[in-house]
Amino acid sequence: MKTLIKNALVIDPINQLEGKYDLLIEDSKIRKIKREIRENNCEVIDLKETILLPGLIDMHTHLREPGFEEKETIKTGCEAAAAGGFTTIACMANTDPVADNPATIEYIKAKAEAGVVKVIPVGSITKDCQGERLAEIGFLARSGVTALSDDGNPVMNSEIMRRAMEYAVSFGLTIIDHCEDLNLAGDGVMNEGYYSTILGLKPVPAVAEEVMIARDILLAELTGARLHIAHLSTARGLELVARAREKGLKITAEVTPHHLILTDEAVKGYNPDTKVNPPLRSQEDVDKLKQGLKEGLIDVIATDHAPHTFEDKLGEYDYAASGISGLETAVALIHDRLIRQGLIGWRDLVKLMVANPARILGLDAEGIKEGARADLTCFDPAREWEVEPAAFKSKGKNTPFVGWKLRGKVILTMVEGKIVYDDRGGQSEIIY
Amino acid sequence: MSLKRKDFLGLYNVEADEIYEILETAKAMKEIFTRSVKKVPTLRGKTIVNLFFEPSTRTKSSFDLAAKRLSADVMSISKSTSSVAKGETLLDTARTLEVMGADVVVIRHSAAGAAEFLARKIKASVLNAGDGAHAHPTQALLDMYTIKEKLGKIQGLKVLIVGDIAHSRVARSNIWGLTKLGAEVRVTGPATLIPKEISKMGVKVFTDLDKALVGVDVVNILRIQLERQAKGLFPSIREYRQFYGINDERLSGLSKDVLIMHPGPMNRGIEIESSVADGDQSVITEQVTNGVAIRMALLYLLAGRDLKDEDLN
């Protein structure tokens, strides 16, 4: 079967390709890229006035399966990813059972076979994400895992983290750390600052994140580990990463869309959908993160997609679960709030959401070139829409962006030559 | 006379004229206490529910008495006796009470924002009787009432709040209310118990109690929760008493007109020496009396939203 994509504005800095092109796709690959292709006997998709990107990669999601299928399943998580324009997603290990063993990794992969996008399981650093004993890192590596994380929990014990890094190096794995000093964070539920003071909510200081970033950098320097900082959210955390990189250390960092767009002021009104870990930070932090993004100090934008049930987010702020269902709003938010404001461009976005995450996860980001796998994301920058959680493919309807009117939307997602999500006519359809 | 709002959740967004209106109403309520029959029929047929998710004797009995003196039907539910213990959500508890016909739900809860959550979800008026470290507006109003009654005004006074500011809803509500009425508010306590960026609320922060006391008109002493020491927020009770306890010696250099206040319950001999608590400058028992008047005023203003200028006779 052949598909001919016509008139798309292709933006792919991986292959230095930018401009109006036609793409001929046959089987799972891009066969031909030309200014104009004429071909009979094929399905023609006219993507006039839209932007065509290499398929996006989200290196930080929680698919909740196995163990928390009431929040999300691999199937629904993949659908949410497709609707958000992602063709590959990495899923975190804090399931039940934890992905600390090859059997759980195989289970996730098997389930993901039936999903509409590609799933890369992340293994845990320690058994049960408890931070006490190392997971069987060698076996995890042999089962295809390329990165390790106890995300959701930090590895508080510095000795354990040191050993994990040393051990991971010999298997070529990246350590992704959730940096949070649990003693400093205490039972806090929001960022420490003016808003925690007036709202009377227990505070989590920024330094809870920063001391752990500093520790991890020192341990990475000692061990030579490949360290990736998950959901970096503070100005000084970014400063630490930038300084470490100047020294030549192999350290990367990701930021979420919500930490780039919302501040702790959003917690006013006690909406549990604003509760997330790390918490929404101060205006100063957000300004510095945006500045860092502009200056290229941040490697990756990742969603930290954290779906929860209605009940998990019902009631008192203190008792609500932390997390934001982010897959289906990420690209539109970045376009509406960062690209349209001129902070970054589409080429930056491809680096942040394709090239860099691929490199960190050890994937081959082929981008848009002849012979490459046809993983493509099509974005209509003019489409206006309103965030309505009820319409999410994800089971997690927990988003602080309810009712936001956004300009720009993913309208087509293609995985290995097959359309898996189609919203060209507003039908928002997942196609198996 | 009525409030412009369905609920009364805190003083953050309440204007000065509204505060004065409440204080005036409370004055009329307090007048009732001097009668031989301390009860008016104003809220006859209205139902008031006291929903207490946190142990409280003082505030609960104060609300209870306030409702009874206004002839409302009053129902008190506390955590140990309600089905909350069985895992029922706050929302379901409140909805149940609402369909039973509550006009005002008075809520006390350990989670900040619980009152606001409830207010959004039910049609009945919600009156916040303390939510976590967020707000305790009736306490702040009774404190302001007491200050105004004793000193004749609030504008221009220097009011010092001493103690665990970080965990105190009383401090926060007092700060909003007093600054709106033009008082200078100071806070002092161990640095570990002063919340971040509190100066943005318009207060002066001191860590030295003796410096903070210079020139003040009112000292409002907060209860120190003994579990804060266990959590390592300050080293010992005796050190707290030494550096932040209010005693005669500390007050000796100050004007004899300085008011001593405490929201209770007191840790005698820790944050406040007994001779100060029981001394001439102390208005602590009057605070309790005024608390009933303030709560009557607010219940009247909320439950009486549909009443027509009914008098209090």
Side-chain angles (χ1 to χ4, degrees):
Chain A
M1 202 194 99
K2 290 182 197 170
T3 309
L4 179 60
I5 293 178
K6 291 198 73 78
N7 302 318
L9 173 60
V10 175
I11 300 177
D12 175 19
I14 299 166
N15 296 296
Q16 285 85 44
L17 190 67
E18 188 164 331
K20 284 249 169 67
Y21 288 96
D22 289 355
L23 276 68
L24 182 67
I25 290 152
E26 195 177 349
D27 301 326
S28 62
K29 310 249 179 191
I30 301 169
R31 288 293 168 210
K32 204 191 283 180
I33 303 175
K34 272 198 159 149
R35 288 291 178 187
E36 191 171 358
I37 300 172
R38 286 172 197 275
E39 182 85 20
N40 297 323
N41 301 327
C42 60
E43 186 191 354
V44 176
I45 300 173
D46 190 351
L47 295 181
K48 198 169 48 185
E49 281 157 20
T50 65
I51 293 165
L52 191 66
L53 307 167
L56 304 179
I57 299 170
D58 187 354
M59 68 174 290
H60 192 147
T61 70
H62 295 270
L63 298 183
R64 305 298 191 202
E65 189 179 359
F68 306 100
E69 289 83 355
E70 72 281 9
K71 295 174 191 276
E72 191 83 290
T73 62
I74 291 167
K75 180 174 184 281
T76 56
C78 285
E79 291 184 0
F86 297 97
T87 56
T88 301
I89 55 178
C91 61
M92 287 297 165
N94 61 341
T95 46
D96 182 18
V98 165
D100 58 5
N101 63 84
T104 306
I105 298 291
E106 289 308 327
Y107 175 87
I108 294 167
K109 284 184 172 175
K111 282 268 176 174
E113 280 296 308
V116 289
V117 304
K118 290 178 264 191
V119 176
I120 309 286
V122 172
S124 71
I125 299 171
T126 67
K127 286 222 165 74
D128 255 338
C129 291
Q130 291 298 300
E132 287 161 7
R133 287 174 303 137
L134 294 185
E136 289 177 319
I137 290 172
F139 287 134
L140 286 169
R142 194 185 284 170
S143 69
V145 159
T146 58
L148 302 172
S149 183
D150 277 4
D151 186 66
N153 290 316
V155 178
M156 274 298 286
N157 184 327
S158 303
E159 158 74 0
I160 298 288
M161 186 51 119
R162 176 201 171 162
R163 298 307 176 199
M165 285 186 179
E166 281 176 335
Y167 203 82
V169 169
S170 45
F171 290 93
L173 304 182
T174 299
I175 297 273
I176 302 173
D177 199 22
H178 166 119
C179 292
E180 178 187 11
D181 183 309
L182 295 176
N183 297 313
L184 282 168
D187 48 7
V189 296
M190 74 170 289
N191 182 51
E192 179 172 82
Y194 175 69
Y195 291 102
S196 65
T197 291
I198 67 166
L199 293 171
L201 287 170
K202 292 176 206 82
V204 182
V207 78
E209 171 171 313
E210 292 150 2
V211 297
M212 290 298 264
I213 292 177
R215 179 204 73 171
D216 282 0
I217 288 171
L218 292 168
L219 292 175
E221 187 172 10
L222 175 72
T223 59
R226 263 281 308 111
L227 171 67
H228 178 78
I229 308 294
H231 46 54
L232 181 115
S233 68
T234 69
R236 274 164 301 169
L238 178 61
E239 217 178 284
L240 290 165
V241 170
R243 233 184 289 159
R245 218 154 18 192
E246 276 170 28
K247 283 179 74 175
L249 300 180
K250 290 174 281 183
I251 291 166
T252 51
E254 75 191 23
V255 178
T256 69
H258 48 269
H259 288 114
L260 288 165
I261 288 164
L262 294 175
T263 69
D264 54 359
E265 189 180 358
V267 182
K268 269 174 86 175
Y270 302 94
N271 176 3
D273 286 335
T274 63
K275 186 173 174 183
V276 61
N277 187 11
L280 299 174
R281 299 292 188 186
S282 70
Q283 186 68 55
E284 193 209 334
D285 287 308
V286 172
D287 290 345
K288 289 275 170 58
L289 291 181
K290 285 165 84 168
Q291 188 61 29
L293 194 69
K294 190 176 178 176
E295 291 170 8
L297 299 174
I298 292 161
D299 303 277
V300 172
I301 294 178
T303 64
D304 191 7
H305 176 71
H308 287 293
T309 65
F310 175 76
E311 291 76 18
D312 290 335
K313 287 286 193 180
L314 175 70
E316 299 89 328
Y317 203 87
D318 281 354
Y319 314 146
S322 290
I324 290 173
S325 179
L327 280 168
E328 291 166 79
T329 51
V331 186
L333 283 167
I334 293 163
H335 173 255
D336 195 71
R337 301 295 157 132
L338 306 176
I339 293 180
R340 288 183 71 210
Q341 270 66 21
L343 192 82
I344 57 169
W346 282 108
R347 265 170 292 179
D348 302 311
L349 181 123
V350 173
K351 284 177 198 150
L352 292 159
M353 301 183 81
V354 184
N356 293 343
R359 179 169 48 80
I360 293 162
L361 293 172
L363 308 172
D364 180 16
E366 297 174 299
I368 300 176
K369 64 178 180 188
E370 290 179 358
R373 289 182 310 273
D375 288 351
L376 300 166
T377 301
C378 179
F379 190 85
D380 177 354
R383 173 87 71 90
E384 289 182 14
W385 64 293
E386 188 177 324
V387 179
E388 285 175 83
F392 280 5
K393 307 297 179 194
S394 170
K395 283 190 176 185
K397 313 299 182 192
N398 47 301
T399 172
F401 299 107
V402 180
W404 280 40
K405 291 186 172 63
L406 299 176
R407 199 179 169 88
K409 195 175 182 307
V410 170
I411 57 158
L412 194 80
T413 307
M414 181 180 274
V415 176
E416 301 201 351
K418 185 179 179 315
I419 295 173
V420 293
Y421 177 70
D422 190 351
D423 193 32
R424 282 175 292 166
Q427 73 277 37
S428 190
E429 189 185 359
I430 296 288
I431 301 159
Y432 278 91
Chain B
M1 207 166 28
S2 73
L3 292 176
K4 286 170 272 183
R5 53 189 79 239
K6 170 173 98 68
D7 311 294
F8 202 80
L9 306 176
L11 297 181
Y12 169 71
N13 58 358
V14 175
E15 298 308 320
D17 57 348
E18 223 171 337
I19 294 175
Y20 281 123
E21 185 185 328
I22 295 162
L23 298 183
E24 279 306 305
T25 309
K27 199 172 169 187
M29 295 295 173
K30 196 175 175 184
E31 189 267 324
I32 296 166
F33 302 174
T34 61
R35 302 178 189 173
S36 60
V37 178
K38 300 179 182 58
K39 192 166 175 133
V40 289
T42 314
L43 294 187
R44 206 163 42 196
K46 297 283 181 186
T47 304
I48 290 163
V49 176
N50 290 327
L51 188 54
F52 277 63
F53 291 90
E54 206 180 52
S56 156
T57 314
R58 306 164 67 93
T59 307
K60 196 166 78 178
S61 30
S62 182
F63 270 108
D64 200 40
L65 187 58
K68 283 174 176 156
R69 284 187 170 168
L70 290 168
S71 305
D73 294 321
V74 55
M75 198 162 34
S76 287
I77 293 160
S78 38
K79 191 171 177 167
S80 52
T81 59
S82 80
S83 52
V84 170
K86 293 178 213 149
E88 187 177 0
T89 66
L90 168 59
L91 179 61
D92 291 330
T93 306
R95 282 197 177 143
T96 304
L97 298 173
E98 186 171 41
V99 296
M100 289 165 79
D103 295 288
V104 180
V105 176
V106 176
I107 179 175
R108 158 71 64 94
H109 200 292
S110 59
E116 189 171 330
F117 169 77
L118 198 61
R120 266 203 307 272
K121 299 288 183 183
I122 65 174
K123 286 191 229 52
S125 289
V126 174
L127 178 46
N128 189 0
D131 63 326
H134 172 234
H136 194 354
T138 58
Q139 178 70 44
L141 286 166
L142 77 86
D143 290 345
M144 287 189 277
Y145 183 93
T146 307
I147 295 169
K148 189 161 179 283
E149 189 178 59
K150 290 287 165 187
L151 302 178
K153 61 170 186 176
I154 287 173
Q155 172 116 29
L157 295 181
K158 293 183 174 66
V159 179
L160 172 65
I161 305 172
V162 185
D164 180 1
I165 311 297
H167 300 89
S168 176
R169 52 191 171 217
V170 175
R172 285 171 176 81
S173 285
N174 264 285
I175 291 167
W176 290 128
L178 288 165
T179 52
K180 274 178 183 158
L181 299 193
E184 175 192 314
V185 182
R186 303 173 177 183
V187 298
T188 189
T192 46
L193 295 174
I194 304 286
K196 290 288 163 287
E197 302 188 36
I198 192 166
S199 57
K200 282 194 193 164
M201 288 175 76
V203 302
K204 292 186 179 171
V205 180
F206 293 77
T207 44
D208 182 328
L209 173 59
D210 292 309
K211 285 183 185 151
L213 281 167
V214 175
V216 296
D217 300 292
V218 178
V219 183
N220 197 346
I221 303 156
L222 301 174
R223 174 182 173 79
I224 184 75
Q225 302 282 349
L226 302 181
E227 70 257 26
R228 307 288 177 226
Q229 188 259 329
K231 276 193 153 184
L233 287 164
F234 60 94
S236 67
I237 296 295
R238 66 174 193 158
E239 192 159 304
Y240 186 88
R241 180 196 300 124
Q242 182 66 40
F243 290 95
Y244 297 100
I246 300 289
N247 52 37
D248 285 325
E249 195 191 330
R250 282 219 150 90
L251 295 178
S252 62
L254 305 179
S255 158
K256 294 293 164 222
D257 297 328
V258 172
L259 294 188
I260 300 298
M261 306 177 76
H262 192 299
M266 292 182 277
N267 292 302
R268 284 174 176 265
I270 300 177
E271 72 259 8
I272 185 166
E273 203 170 58
S274 276
S275 56
V276 174
D278 304 330
D280 294 339
Q281 290 166 253
S282 166
V283 291
I284 296 169
T285 53
E286 279 147 290
Q287 285 175 271
V288 177
T289 309
N290 294 337
V292 179
I294 282 288
R295 285 160 186 139
M296 285 172 76
L298 277 167
L299 290 175
Y300 166 69
L301 292 169
L302 288 174
R305 279 188 305 157
D306 57 347
L307 299 177
K308 274 190 182 172
D309 283 335
E310 198 158 337
D311 67 19
L312 296 171
N313 297 314

